[in-house]
Amino acid sequence: MPTWEMVPDGSMDIPLALRLKLQGQEITEIETIAVRPGDYKVSGQNFASNTGALIASGDTVEWEEPVPENERNSRDELEGWCTA
């Protein structure tokens, strides 16, 4: 099950997500995502990380629920966002 938390990083707090995959009581996958200002670009422009908004969204966004298969982006779309 994925989980996320705000963690200190220098002079600011950043969101950090962790996902572990277990098979037969053994960890078979570990995924971590840390979000820092400037990590994202929208139409070529930096998209600032708003940690306060992420914290506030915890009551309304179901972060730990998988995205339904018919609503998921393709691998090509995801890779395109990372290289833009």
Side-chain angles (χ1 to χ4, degrees):
M1 170 182 259
T3 189
W4 68 277
E5 196 60 56
M6 301 304 287
V7 297
D9 184 45
S11 62
M12 70 181 78
D13 290 340
I14 62 167
L16 177 73
L18 171 69
R19 180 187 64 84
L20 299 176
K21 180 177 180 180
L22 299 174
Q23 289 182 325
Q25 298 300 310
E26 293 184 10
I27 297 173
T28 59
E29 293 180 19
I30 300 173
E31 178 181 15
T32 59
I33 301 171
V35 181
R36 293 177 179 87
D39 282 351
Y40 296 99
K41 292 189 181 286
V42 176
S43 300
Q45 301 295 316
N46 282 339
F47 188 79
S49 174
N50 183 338
T51 56
L54 286 170
I55 292 169
S57 70
D59 293 334
T60 57
V61 176
E62 296 175 354
W63 292 107
E64 296 180 7
E65 293 299 317
V67 175
E69 198 166 326
N70 64 336
E71 294 179 26
R72 296 177 189 169
N73 295 94
S74 71
R75 184 176 193 89
D76 287 340
E77 288 173 310
L78 297 174
E79 288 177 351
W81 296 340
C82 294
T83 59

